[in-house]
Amino acid sequence: MPSLPSPQPLRPGRHQLAREDVERYQRERLLLAMLHSVAERGYSSTTVADVVAGAAVSRTTFYAQFADKEACFIAAYEFAMHYALTRMSEAAALRPAQSWRDRVRSELSSYLDALANEPVIATTLHVEVLAAGPQALEHRVELLGQLASRTADVNELARAADGSLRELPPAVFALYTGGLDELIRDRLRTGSPEALRELVEPVLEATYAMFGA
């Protein structure tokens, strides 16, 4: 699985990158620097100075990309969300599920693996977003909604395979995903990110019970 890099500056001197490529590269470095700074210091204590130092760019470059610290964090959150969800999709493509139980295990384990492998992603998505203000919380709602939707899709597969399983209302999947979010946050606050992998089996049991299987 690819690792999330630390922000690296462009080498000094002449290079062949077009201006838009340089700007894209600088933006990615700023997002990575924000993720690393938030994981180390927390959102509230992170400053624009921390981010530009971590990205090895000027404040002028920062403000050419983002209006303020909050805007940079929201973009970093979107980057982190895309990273985690892409890891799930890649895992599903590499190991096609043979049954709905295989599918739910793949969905859960690949997400938790992505978080365990990249603690800065996990901290941004499930801890520091709570301190980042109303707009950031809207993006958190989007992430939890996508996770709930994926679980609902698996429930449809389960019901197609076993007609005795009941149809569940959307609120059930929202409650399920909210509970998973809290479990992840608890592990991150009280232990190593590696402990996130320990959630797979108990959460699977809860999933089966929710489905009525």
Side-chain angles (χ1 to χ4, degrees), residues 1-4 79-91 95 105-126 143 147 184 188 193-194 196-197 200:
M1 180 176 292
S3 178
L4 190 71
F79 178 93
M81 179 171 67
H82 176 75
Y83 180 91
L85 294 176
T86 298
R87 299 291 82 76
M88 295 174 74
S89 297
E90 288 175 347
R95 299 185 297 274
R105 178 178 288 276
S106 174
E107 293 276 288
L108 180 62
S109 62
S110 60
Y111 185 71
L112 293 175
D113 277 345
L115 299 185
N117 289 337
E118 302 297 348
V120 297
I121 293 286
T123 300
T124 296
L125 293 180
H126 293 281
L143 170 63
L147 294 175
I184 291 169
L188 292 171
E194 284 293 319
L196 291 172
R197 294 187 175 93
V200 171

Side-chain angles (χ1 to χ4, degrees), residues 21 29 55 71 83 116 133 169:
D21 293 326
R29 295 209 321 273
Y83 180 91

Side-chain angles (χ1 to χ4, degrees), residues 7-212:
Q8 298 294 327
L10 285 169
R11 290 192 298 270
R14 296 178 64 84
H15 51 73
Q16 301 302 315
L17 295 177
R19 179 179 179 82
E20 57 268 26
D21 293 326
V22 172
E23 291 175 350
R24 188 182 310 111
Y25 187 63
Q26 290 172 334
R27 180 182 179 86
E28 181 176 297
R29 295 209 321 273
L30 285 163
L31 297 181
L32 292 171
M34 173 62 79
L35 292 171
H36 284 279
S37 182
V38 163
E40 178 183 350
R41 301 175 179 86
Y43 175 79
S44 297
S45 297
T46 289
T47 65
V48 170
D50 294 327
V51 176
V52 299
V57 301
S58 68
R59 293 178 72 93
T60 299
T61 297
F62 177 92
Y63 286 110
Q65 297 274 2
F66 305 107
D68 51 25
K69 181 180 85 168
E70 180 185 19
C72 183
F73 177 84
I74 289 172
Y77 187 92
E78 292 177 339
F79 178 93
M81 179 171 67
H82 176 75
Y83 180 91
L85 294 176
T86 298
R87 299 291 82 76
M88 295 174 74
S89 297
E90 288 175 347
L94 287 171
R95 299 185 297 274
Q98 301 301 311
S99 70
W100 70 265
R101 289 177 184 270
D102 292 336
R103 170 76 176 275
V104 74
R105 178 178 288 276
S106 174
E107 293 276 288
L108 180 62
S109 62
S110 60
Y111 185 71
L112 293 175
D113 277 345
L115 299 185
N117 289 337
E118 302 297 348
V120 297
I121 293 286
T123 300
T124 296
L125 293 180
H126 293 281
V127 179
E128 292 303 324
V129 64
L130 298 177
Q135 290 188 49
L137 291 179
E138 288 298 318
H139 290 271
R140 175 177 176 265
V141 168
E142 180 184 352
L143 170 63
L144 297 183
Q146 290 206 40
L147 294 175
S149 177
R150 295 177 82 116
T151 306
D153 289 344
V154 178
N155 180 244
E156 287 297 314
L157 292 176
R159 291 178 59 240
D162 183 348
S164 69
L165 301 184
R166 64 184 182 277
E167 183 177 4
L168 299 172
V172 170
F173 300 109
L175 289 168
Y176 169 85
T177 307
L180 176 60
D181 175 54
E182 185 59 37
L183 287 172
I184 291 169
R185 187 159 44 253
D186 181 66
R187 286 294 193 279
L188 292 171
R189 285 173 172 167
T190 61
S192 164
E194 284 293 319
L196 291 172
R197 294 187 175 93
E198 298 171 2
L199 293 174
V200 171
E201 296 305 325
V203 174
L204 280 175
E205 289 300 318
T207 308
Y208 301 152
M210 179 178 71
F211 286 3

